[in-house]
Amino acid sequence: MRPFLTRRRGEGPWPWLAAGSVALSLSMLAGLLLLLAVGGLGHFWPAEVSEVTPREGAPFAGIPVREERVVGSERRERLYFTGNLDLDGERWRWIPLDAIAALEAPPELVVLERRRWGDFLGHLVALEDGGRRHAGAAAWPALEERLATLETLRDERDHLRDAVVAPLVRRLEQGGDPAAAAELARANARIRELQTAMQGATLVLESVDGRRLEQPLAEVLRAWRPNAMSPPQKLAAWGRGVWRFLSEGPRAANSAGGVWPAIFGTVMMVLLMSVVVTPFGVLAGIYLNEVARQGPFTRLVRIGVRNLAGVPSIVYGVFGLGVFVHGIGGSLDAWFFADSLPSPTFGTGGLLWASLTLALLTLPVVIVATEEGLARVPEHQREGALALGATRMEMLTRVVLPMTVPAMLTGLILAVARAAGEVAPLMLVGVAKLAPQVPVDGEFPFLHLERKFMHLGYHIYDTAFHGDDVQAAMPLVYATALLLVLVILVLNLTAIFLRHHLRARHGVASRA
Amino acid sequence: MTDPRQLRRRRLRDRLATLLITAGGVGVVVSVLAIGVFLAWEVVPLFLGEGALAPAELWQPQPVEGYAEPQHRWRPEPLVAGDAVHYGMAPLAWGTLKAALWALLFAVPLALGAAIHSALYMPRRLRARLKPTLELMEALPGVVIGFVAGLVLAPWVERHLAGALALVVTLPLGAVAAGGLRALLPAFLRARLSPGWAGLWLAPWLLLVGSLTLWLAPALEAGLPGGDLRGWLEATWGLDVASRNALIVGLAMGFAVIPGIYALAEDALSGVPASLGEGALALGATRWQTLWRVVLPAAGPGIFSAVMIGAGRAVGETMIVLMASGNTALMSLSPLEGLRSLSATIAIELPEAAVGATHYRLLFLAALLLFAFTFLVNTLAEVVRTRLRRRYRRLEGSA
C-alpha cells in the first residue's frame, strides 16, 4: 500500500470551473448594474470644482472626471471637465498627475449652466442690471434672486406660447376670427413684454486664469457654487436635477436637458401595443388550448408560435415597414389624405405603426403565457362546470378564465417589458431623434397616431452615437439607460412575483 | 326546470363565441405565420424579370475597379453619382456568423458551466433565487448592453488590451486555484465554503484575481519583444486591432445570450430522471463522473437545443452589433477586427433606401435570410426538445 502515491479522490478542476462561471455571470450582471447606477445617478450630484495650478502654464478650474494610465508609461493622467467652450474652444483637458503643482477648492467658484456654449466654470465678478452694479460679495445673492425671477418669467412665457398662442394660431388658420386675432395680438404683446423683462442684465465673469467675459443673464439657466454647498444642499440639488431630467425636454441636440418626451413616447407606444396585443394574444391562446382539436396540427402551430418568439426583432421591423407603413399606410394616404400628398400622413413611420409592429413582436409572449396558464387549470374544474350544465362558453368565462388572469397578466407584463427595450424595429417604423410635438395634445382627435415619437432606447442610441460631443452627453446616456433598465427590471420583477404567486396557488402544473 | 328557449339562446351564444375565438385564433396564427411569405414575396422580383440579379453577384467575388483580384464588396448605393454599385452580401452574412460565433464561444462555456453547477451542486433554495436573477439579465435591453460595450468597454479594452486578454487565462485558473486552496484550509473554514454556495463566494475571489491580473498586466506586456502588445500582435500575427471589434461584440452579445442558454440547459439537466444519477452515485461514481458519463449523455439533445436557440438569438441581435462592431463589412476571422452584420445593415440602410429599388429588396432578402435561419434553428431545437421530454417520460416510467 502506497497511499501517498494514489491520486487523491476528488472531482478535479471541472466543478470549480462550473462554479466560477456562475460567479462570473453574476459579477458581470452586478458590474453592469453598478456601472449604470453610478454613471446615471452621479451625474446629478453637484461635483466639487477644483482650481488646478499646473507646473507650467495658466491655472484652470475643472471637475475631475476620471483617471487613466498613460499608454506605454507608468504615469497617470486625469481628465477634467473645464467647460468654457467660448473661451478655450474645448471643454475637456487631460493633465498628467505629476504636472499638477497645486489643487484647491475655493468656495467662491461658480458653475453656470448656459443656453449657448455649455457650462461656465470660474469666478463671478459682478452683476450689472440697468445701471446698478452688484459686485464682490453682493453679486452672488443678487444673481440667485435674478435667476429666480427669470425662472418665473420663463415659465409664464412658455405657458403663454403653448397654451394660448399655439391654439389661437391654429384657429386663425382654419378661418378668420376677429376675436381670436385680437387675443393673439394681446398674448404676443405680453410675450414681448416678458422677453424685454428678461433682457438687460449682464454678468461679468472671470475665468480662473483671469480672462473676463460678459454674459447676458437671459442665457443663463442655473448657477450654483458646489464648493460652498453643504451635503443637505447638495442632496436637494441632486433631487432637483433628477426631477428636471425626468420632467424636461432635451436641449442642445439631445446632449443636455431631460427625457420627458422620450418617456412619454415610450409609455404611449407600449400602452397602445398592450391594447392591441392583449385581446389577440389571449384569443389565440384560448383557441389553441381550449377550442382547437389537439393533434399534430395544433402541435405544429404551437411550435411555429414559439419559434416566432425567436425571430429577430429587426425582421418584424422590416415586416412592419413593408406591410404597415408602405402597404396599409400608403393605401390610407391614397384614399383619405390625397390632398396632402406627396407629403405622407400615414405612409411614413408613426406611433400607430410602431405599436402594431411591437404588438406583432410580443404576440408569441402573450400566447405562450396564456396557454401555460390555461394548461395549469386542473381538468376536473372544466369537467365539473360542464357536468353542472354550463356551455363551453360559460365554462370558459366563469371558471377557467378567472383562474388564468394572473397568467395572462404575467404574459402582458413580460410583453411590455420586451417592447419597452426593443429599439431595432422602431428605427424602421416611426421613432424620431427629436419630435417637437408629443402624440397627445388638446387638439382634435387628441391622440395623433400618425406622428413620430421619441423613445428612451432610441434616445440612448442616438445620443451616444450621433452627437458631436459624445463625452459631454455620456452622463445623460447613462441616466437614460439607468431609467430604461429600472423600468424593465421593475416590470420583470412584477411578472416574476405574479408567476411565483400563481404557482403557489395552483401547485405544480397539473396537465403539462 | 330550464326554459328550452333560454337553453337554445345559450347554445347559440356558445356557438357564436366558439366561432369568434376560432376566427380570431386562426387569424392571429395565420397572420403571424405570414411574415415569411410576405418577405419572400418582396424578394422574388429581384431574381425575376428584367434587370434580375444573378445569385453569383451576391455571393461570389466580383471584379472591382482598382483591384486585380475579384472582391467581395457591399456598396449598394454609389458614393458619388456614376460610381459602380456592388451587391456582394457575403461579407454581411460572414459578419453575422462571425459575431454569433464569437458570442457563442464566450457564452456557451459560461452558460453550460452555470447550468451544470446549479443543477448538480446548488442547494434548491439558492437555485430558486438564481434562475430569476439570470432571467433579469436576459431582460436587459440590447441598446443598453450595446451602449456599454461600444462606449465604455471598447475604449477600456483598447487601453488595457494586455490585461483584458490575460483575464481570459487567469479567471479560469483562479477558479481552479480556489478549489485547490480550499482543500488546504482547516476543516471548519472548509465547511463554511461549501461547493454548493461556490457560485457566490467565488465572486469576490475572482474579482481579486481579476484586479491582480490587471495590476500585473502592464509588467507582463513590458516583457514582450518591443514592450507593446499591439505592435507585437501586428508584427508577429499580422493582426490589426480595431477599437470596436468582434471580441467586444462577442463579449456583449455573449452576455446577452448566456441567460437563454442557461435556462434551457438547466431545464434539460435537472429534467434527467433522478434515478439515473442516483444509480451512478450508488455505484461509487463522483458527482462529476456521474454528470459526465450519465447525466450529460441523457441531457445532450436538450443542451444541443439550448445552444441552437442561443445561436438563433445571436444571429438576429441588432442593437448590440450595431453599437459595438464598428460596422465595417470585412471578410476576416480575426477577433480584433470589426464586422458588419445583416441585421445592423438593415437597421442602418433600410430607412434611407428607395422603396421598391434593388437595394430595398436586397435588405428584404437579408431579413428573409435571418428569418429563415432563426426559424430553422428554432424549429430544430424545439423538435429535439419535445423528443427529449418524451424520452425522459419513458425513462421515468421504466425506472
Side-chain angles (χ1 to χ4, degrees):
Chain A
M1 287 276 275
R2 295 180 299 176
F4 48 88
L5 274 185
T6 53
R7 247 179 74 219
R8 265 179 51 131
R9 208 181 133 65
E11 305 194 69
W14 299 107
W16 298 103
L17 284 178
S21 45
V22 175
L24 193 61
S25 308
L26 289 178
S27 337
M28 284 194 302
L29 178 63
L32 182 68
L33 294 179
L34 198 71
L35 177 76
L36 290 179
V38 170
L41 294 176
H43 166 56
F44 303 108
W45 189 257
E48 208 152 89
V49 184
S50 0
E51 188 175 327
V52 186
T53 320
R55 292 195 190 285
E56 287 160 31
F60 65 94
I63 298 168
V65 180
R66 61 166 196 269
E67 272 182 37
E68 292 278 0
R69 201 169 54 84
V70 183
V71 175
S73 88
E74 283 304 307
R75 298 163 73 201
R76 297 184 70 80
E77 54 182 354
R78 191 182 285 162
L79 177 66
Y80 278 100
F81 171 75
T82 56
N84 301 6
L85 189 63
D86 39 353
L87 288 176
D88 302 337
E90 58 179 335
R91 284 189 266 215
W92 306 93
R93 184 156 170 181
W94 283 101
I95 182 163
L97 288 191
D98 49 16
I100 297 177
L103 267 181
E104 276 173 274
E108 75 276 4
L109 279 182
V110 291
V111 182
L112 298 183
E113 192 181 333
R114 304 176 293 180
R115 203 180 285 281
R116 288 184 63 207
W117 300 112
D119 289 359
F120 169 86
L121 278 69
H123 297 289
L124 173 67
V125 178
L127 171 75
E128 284 169 356
D129 185 7
R132 285 174 58 204
R133 185 182 162 95
H134 308 270
W140 175 250
L143 174 64
E144 272 188 321
E145 191 201 318
R146 282 300 313 232
L147 279 176
T149 354
L150 262 179
E151 180 92 30
T152 49
L153 290 179
R154 229 178 253 139
D155 282 349
E156 192 186 341
R157 183 197 59 191
D158 292 346
H159 175 77
L160 268 177
R161 261 193 199 153
D162 295 342
V164 180
V165 173
L168 279 176
V169 168
R170 276 194 292 268
R171 242 168 78 194
L172 279 174
E173 271 170 4
Q174 279 156 13
D177 180 355
E183 218 175 307
L184 183 63
R186 240 190 344 269
N188 275 333
R190 176 69 187 146
I191 287 181
R192 269 195 298 278
E193 218 171 277
L194 290 170
Q195 296 277 35
T196 5
M198 279 185 235
Q199 305 298 332
T202 314
L203 293 179
V204 181
L205 303 171
E206 192 181 70
S207 69
V208 173
D209 53 355
R211 283 171 295 167
R212 288 262 168 137
L213 179 72
E214 301 239 318
Q215 169 74 43
L217 186 61
E219 294 280 302
V220 177
L221 294 171
R222 264 175 299 281
W224 64 97
R225 291 196 295 181
N227 298 354
M229 284 162 102
S230 63
Q233 275 173 330
K234 281 192 175 178
L235 196 65
W238 180 82
R240 280 198 301 275
V242 171
W243 173 246
R244 271 200 305 276
F245 172 72
L246 295 177
S247 65
E248 281 182 2
R251 284 186 294 109
N254 290 359
S255 68
V259 291
W260 167 243
I263 298 177
F264 191 87
T266 312
V267 169
M268 218 43 233
M269 183 204 67
V270 163
L271 276 182
L272 270 177
M273 179 214 81
S274 318
V275 168
V276 179
V277 79
T278 317
F280 284 110
V282 168
L283 221 56
I286 294 176
Y287 168 73
L288 280 179
N289 211 57
E290 302 285 322
V291 177
R293 194 188 300 272
Q294 303 298 313
F297 176 71
T298 33
R299 211 162 45 230
L300 219 64
V301 168
R302 213 165 269 155
I303 290 184
V305 168
R306 256 166 224 269
N307 280 355
L308 284 170
V311 167
S313 56
I314 188 85
V315 173
Y316 286 94
V318 172
F319 180 77
L321 182 77
V323 171
F324 296 139
V325 177
H326 293 317
I328 303 178
S331 315
L332 280 181
D333 271 4
W335 296 335
F336 301 112
F337 302 96
D339 43 341
S340 66
L341 281 176
S343 86
T345 311
F346 275 103
T348 175
L351 183 60
L352 179 64
W353 304 139
S355 316
L356 286 183
T357 307
L358 284 190
L360 206 60
L361 173 84
T362 49
L363 205 53
V365 181
V366 179
I367 296 180
V368 168
T370 309
E371 271 212 89
E372 269 170 15
L374 287 171
R376 233 175 257 284
V377 176
E379 201 57 37
H380 59 80
Q381 298 270 6
R382 292 189 183 82
E383 286 158 3
L386 291 175
L388 288 171
T391 62
R392 183 154 57 183
M393 180 66 196
E394 286 159 350
M395 177 264 284
L396 274 178
T397 50
R398 308 267 172 87
V399 179
V400 176
L401 291 188
M403 294 174 81
T404 341
V405 167
M408 295 176 194
L409 214 58
T410 311
L412 180 64
I413 293 172
L414 286 179
V416 165
R418 167 122 199 246
E422 234 15 291
V423 178
L426 297 182
M427 291 165 72
L428 304 180
V429 293
V431 83
K433 180 187 176 70
L434 186 66
Q437 291 169 303
V438 287
V440 174
D441 58 24
E443 198 187 341
F444 186 79
F446 308 118
L447 175 62
H448 300 272
L449 293 174
E450 79 286 358
R451 281 191 191 158
K452 294 198 181 269
F453 62 101
M454 290 179 75
H455 182 272
L456 281 175
Y458 186 70
H459 194 73
I460 296 175
Y461 168 67
D462 182 69
T463 318
F465 283 80
H466 297 290
D468 30 329
D469 189 352
V470 173
Q471 183 72 259
M474 276 288 262
L476 251 114
V477 180
Y478 267 121
T480 317
L482 180 67
L483 181 64
L484 185 62
V485 166
L486 277 183
V487 169
I488 287 171
L489 285 192
V490 166
L491 282 171
N492 270 286
L493 283 175
T494 320
I496 288 173
F497 172 78
L498 261 179
R499 205 169 41 193
H500 186 76
H501 178 72
L502 191 74
R503 281 213 185 120
R505 206 169 68 175
H506 291 313
V508 263
S510 36
R511 209 174 79 173
Chain B
M1 277 299 288
T2 342
D3 181 3
R5 255 192 323 181
Q6 203 195 344
L7 193 65
R8 210 164 334 125
R9 220 171 39 230
R10 279 172 55 200
R11 286 239 176 88
L12 188 70
R13 210 161 46 192
D14 183 53
R15 215 162 298 151
L16 267 178
T18 309
L19 208 70
L20 186 82
I21 293 176
T22 311
V26 172
V28 166
V29 168
V30 167
S31 69
V32 159
L33 297 179
I35 293 180
V37 179
F38 168 76
L39 291 176
W41 180 255
E42 286 281 320
V43 167
V44 164
L46 266 183
F47 302 104
L48 292 179
E50 233 166 284
L53 287 174
E57 269 186 77
L58 301 183
W59 304 111
Q60 279 165 18
Q62 297 293 314
V64 175
E65 209 179 318
Y67 290 87
E69 296 280 310
Q71 301 276 319
H72 287 289
R73 180 65 60 89
W74 172 255
R75 195 199 286 148
E77 303 276 348
L79 290 181
V80 284
D83 223 355
V85 288
H86 299 283
Y87 296 129
M89 285 180 84
L92 306 183
W94 177 252
T96 307
L97 292 178
K98 180 176 155 191
L101 183 76
W102 284 106
L104 288 180
L105 268 182
F106 173 68
V108 168
L110 274 183
L112 291 190
I116 288 171
H117 179 73
S118 72
L120 253 75
Y121 293 89
M122 257 189 194
R124 185 182 293 272
R125 208 157 45 95
L126 185 59
R127 189 167 17 151
R129 290 266 178 281
L130 180 72
K131 280 191 102 167
T133 312
L134 288 180
E135 257 172 58
L136 287 185
M137 183 167 158
E138 187 168 28
L140 288 178
V143 67
V144 171
I145 298 178
F147 151 66
V148 171
L151 286 187
V152 184
L153 195 65
W156 185 85
V157 170
E158 200 181 7
R159 269 174 169 265
H160 304 88
L161 189 63
L165 290 180
L167 279 181
V168 179
V169 182
T170 57
L171 284 183
L173 282 181
V176 173
L181 290 176
R182 178 180 168 271
L184 302 178
L185 285 176
F188 74 96
L189 259 179
R190 203 162 33 179
R192 283 276 172 81
L193 300 175
S194 77
W197 290 81
L200 292 188
W201 60 255
L202 268 182
W205 166 255
L206 288 185
L207 221 60
L208 183 75
V209 172
S211 8
L212 216 63
T213 311
L214 290 179
W215 185 58
L216 289 175
L220 275 178
E221 193 179 356
L224 279 176
D228 171 30
L229 180 64
R230 194 178 297 260
W232 182 77
L233 278 176
E234 198 167 349
T236 327
W237 302 91
L239 287 179
D240 205 12
V241 183
S243 163
R244 290 187 189 146
N245 53 42
L247 205 66
I248 303 283
V249 176
L251 197 66
M253 207 149 67
F255 180 83
V257 297
I258 283 175
I261 301 180
Y262 163 82
L264 290 174
E266 213 264 352
D267 274 353
L269 283 174
S270 54
V272 174
S275 52
L276 289 182
E278 282 160 8
L281 288 172
L283 290 174
T286 62
R287 272 189 289 195
W288 191 261
Q289 284 166 333
T290 312
L291 170 86
W292 201 244
R293 303 277 169 79
V294 180
V295 179
L296 263 189
I303 289 175
F304 168 79
S305 83
V307 172
M308 281 287 108
I309 284 184
R313 170 124 201 245
V315 161
E317 177 59 58
T318 310
M319 290 320 283
I320 297 180
V321 192
L322 181 61
M323 296 167 90
S325 74
N327 294 314
T328 41
L330 299 173
M331 291 281 278
S332 77
L333 192 61
S334 158
L336 298 172
E337 280 179 42
L339 55 92
R340 185 183 183 99
S341 79
L342 288 169
S343 52
T345 309
I346 298 174
I348 300 170
E349 295 176 10
L350 193 51
E352 260 96 60
V355 180
T358 308
H359 184 195
Y360 181 81
R361 292 195 190 283
L362 276 175
L363 293 174
F364 270 72
L365 175 63
L368 182 66
L369 284 178
L370 287 177
F371 179 81
F373 183 84
T374 46
F375 207 87
L376 275 180
V377 161
N378 286 348
T379 309
L380 190 66
E382 192 69 27
V383 168
V384 167
R385 231 154 59 92
T386 323
R387 286 250 174 98
L388 182 73
R389 228 174 286 145
R390 230 175 294 155
R391 187 161 87 182
Y392 283 166
R393 223 167 290 152
R394 218 172 43 235
L395 280 173
E396 251 163 8
S398 67

